[in-house]
Amino acid sequence: MSGSIIAVAGAGFSGSVVARELAERGRRVVVFEPRAHVAGNCHTERDASTGIQVHRYGTHIFNTDRQDVWDYVNRFGKFIPFTNRVRAVTGRGTFGLPINLTTINRFFGRNFNPQQARQFVAGLGDSSIGEPANFEEQALKFIGRELYEAFFYGYTKKHWGCEPRELPASVLKRLPVRFTAEDSYYDTRYQALPQDGYTEIVRRMLDHPQIEVRLGEWFRPETKNDFERVFYTGPVDAYFAYKAGRLSYRTVRFEREEAPGDYQGNAVVNYCQPEIPYTRIHESKYLTPWEKHDCTVYFHEYSFETGPQDLPYYPKRLATDLERLACYQEYVKHESKVTFLGRLGTYRYLNMDQVIGEALDSVKNYR
């Protein structure tokens, strides 16, 4: 194979953006994708029985504040505005999430205005905690034990498979507390879903005469010298044959159910109680409100530790993981021909827009 060809490992958003950008500059690109489809964990498809468009690997809502990222994805398909309103089932009823003014008033049986609610929640927090050292301390400091245990303790323990105090505080910092009635899960400028699904968006990105896509084929690191450059979006520990140990991830499995009419009336419902084994239920028809279906399909989501044959989803980033990651980051410094990108390639939690933005930035000056 000619050394003038660029290899991209992975046909998710990160790899596909890189491939498209380089192809439009006249470069030849080969994309290696071990799965039988493109779009990675954002893969969408039509349910064979119901015809409903489903998110095969869990609900993904596109949202961003970056104008360049928004403009970029709209080149490849129509995005329809969509507000994600998550509901959370607790031992005291069902509430909106993130916690907002309505949630606070309903949960505590009050009628606070925003300023009163802010003062009330501040009084719930544990003032003895200085800088929170972990997820649990972050929650106790800012919302107190009652809200923490109702909304976060059980869900977090199920999702991550460990006590919340073992997780970094940054995991909870991503979820705000609002003192208004705004119940959108996100507060970004653009929030939308692709009319034809994410897989079609990615397929169009990769539809270029300079791009060759090899489905069902892993990129083998030992072939890196066959290429001018490699953009690698797979697991960083796998690239180095796990020589510093495996980084830990959580993965998920989905149990499919079908029913006439509707099931839960919402796209995503979290189940916060620890005794309920699943973390969420996704009802796919609510992700395409512009379509009409007389039946429904929904999925129970179960979280578990990622084994050697499982798809990694969520980097855990526990203390031992960060020690191993430091080793891998040293190895990365010596890979002059390889750029590591994406959630798996950098072992960070990244949203879709962050992945796309990082990919655009990584090839901005590459010719």
Side-chain angles (χ1 to χ4, degrees):
M1 182 175 287
S2 170
S4 64
I5 297 175
I6 296 171
V8 173
F13 267 116
S14 188
S16 299
V17 168
V18 166
R20 180 70 184 213
E21 287 294 287
L22 295 177
E24 289 184 350
R25 298 170 200 175
R27 309 308 299 271
R28 292 179 60 198
V29 183
V30 177
V31 179
F32 296 86
E33 171 52 56
R35 303 189 215 185
H37 60 74
V38 300
N41 285 356
C42 294
H43 175 55
T44 49
E45 63 185 14
R46 291 286 171 184
D47 181 64
S49 176
T50 66
I52 295 170
Q53 186 185 109
V54 300
H55 294 203
R56 167 84 74 84
Y57 304 100
T59 299
H60 289 78
I61 312 296
F62 189 86
N63 71 101
T64 189
D65 282 320
R66 277 187 62 161
Q67 186 68 48
D68 61 335
V69 170
W70 177 244
D71 292 341
Y72 191 81
V73 296
N74 276 271
R75 289 177 51 195
F76 302 100
K78 181 179 181 180
F79 278 74
I80 299 177
F82 181 88
T83 300
N84 188 28
R85 293 184 170 92
V86 174
R87 298 294 177 255
V89 176
T90 74
R92 289 169 57 171
T94 301
F95 303 89
L97 199 69
I99 294 170
N100 64 9
L101 180 62
T102 304
T103 304
I104 294 164
N105 281 329
R106 287 192 56 229
F107 188 84
F108 290 104
R110 303 299 185 96
N111 190 31
F112 293 131
N113 63 33
Q115 182 60 31
Q116 290 169 331
R118 187 183 298 274
Q119 292 173 349
F120 177 77
V121 172
L124 299 175
D126 187 342
S127 60
S128 69
I129 298 172
E131 181 63 27
N134 55 58
F135 182 105
E136 183 165 278
E137 288 189 1
Q138 176 76 18
L140 294 176
K141 179 178 176 65
F142 289 103
I143 60 174
R145 184 166 297 278
E146 200 168 359
L147 288 171
Y148 164 60
E149 291 185 346
F151 288 94
F152 299 113
Y153 175 76
Y155 181 91
T156 302
K157 188 174 181 179
K158 289 187 294 183
H159 181 78
W160 292 102
C162 62
E163 289 293 330
R165 60 178 173 270
E166 298 178 61
L167 296 168
S170 59
V171 174
L172 184 60
K173 288 179 181 178
R174 292 194 296 264
L175 194 64
V177 174
R178 301 193 183 112
F179 298 99
T180 69
E182 174 57 57
D183 64 348
S184 172
Y185 194 75
Y186 304 109
D187 59 4
T188 42
R189 180 180 179 187
Y190 298 109
Q191 302 176 38
L193 286 166
Q195 184 176 40
D196 299 320
Y198 291 108
T199 297
E200 183 61 16
I201 295 291
V202 174
R203 188 195 66 77
R204 291 170 185 168
M205 283 185 185
L206 295 170
D207 185 14
H208 191 284
Q210 292 290 103
I211 299 175
E212 176 189 351
V213 179
R214 298 184 181 181
L215 296 179
E217 186 172 341
W218 289 89
F219 172 78
R220 294 181 293 114
E222 63 269 23
T223 68
K224 65 183 178 183
N225 290 326
D226 294 340
F227 302 95
E228 176 185 320
R229 184 150 197 95
V230 177
F231 290 85
Y232 181 84
T233 71
V236 62
D237 54 351
Y239 180 91
F240 294 104
Y242 308 105
K243 64 181 180 180
R246 286 185 179 271
L247 297 170
S248 63
Y249 292 86
R250 293 294 280 180
T251 190
V252 294
R253 65 179 175 86
F254 300 95
E255 289 188 356
R256 179 190 177 281
E257 300 285 347
E258 183 180 331
D262 303 275
Y263 179 72
Q264 65 185 13
N266 201 58
V268 181
V269 177
N270 289 9
Y271 286 81
C272 303
Q273 299 118 301
E275 64 271 16
I276 296 176
Y278 44 85
T279 56
R280 297 187 282 193
I281 296 180
H282 307 260
E283 189 166 6
S284 300
K285 68 188 297 181
Y286 288 98
L287 296 170
T288 53
W290 53 88
E291 298 181 358
K292 301 300 179 185
H293 298 276
D294 295 329
C295 56
T296 195
V297 60
Y298 56 96
F299 300 85
H300 293 79
E301 178 182 324
Y302 297 84
S303 179
F304 61 99
E305 204 70 12
T306 304
Q309 304 305 315
D310 298 317
L311 291 173
Y313 273 69
Y314 303 102
K316 291 185 73 172
R317 294 179 66 88
L318 303 182
T320 53
D321 295 313
L322 296 180
E323 291 174 4
R324 290 177 181 139
L325 178 61
C327 294
Y328 286 121
Q329 288 171 335
E330 286 299 312
Y331 301 153
V332 165
K333 291 177 182 178
H334 299 287
E335 294 289 327
S336 59
K337 293 185 61 172
V338 184
T339 299
F340 293 81
L341 292 170
R343 183 183 289 196
L344 303 182
T346 62
Y347 196 64
R348 292 177 295 153
Y349 186 94
L350 298 171
N351 293 326
M352 277 185 288
D353 67 316
Q354 294 172 311
V355 165
I356 293 168
E358 179 186 74
L360 289 171
D361 295 342
S362 72
V363 294
K364 189 173 293 183
N365 299 316
Y366 193 87
R367 292 291 183 266

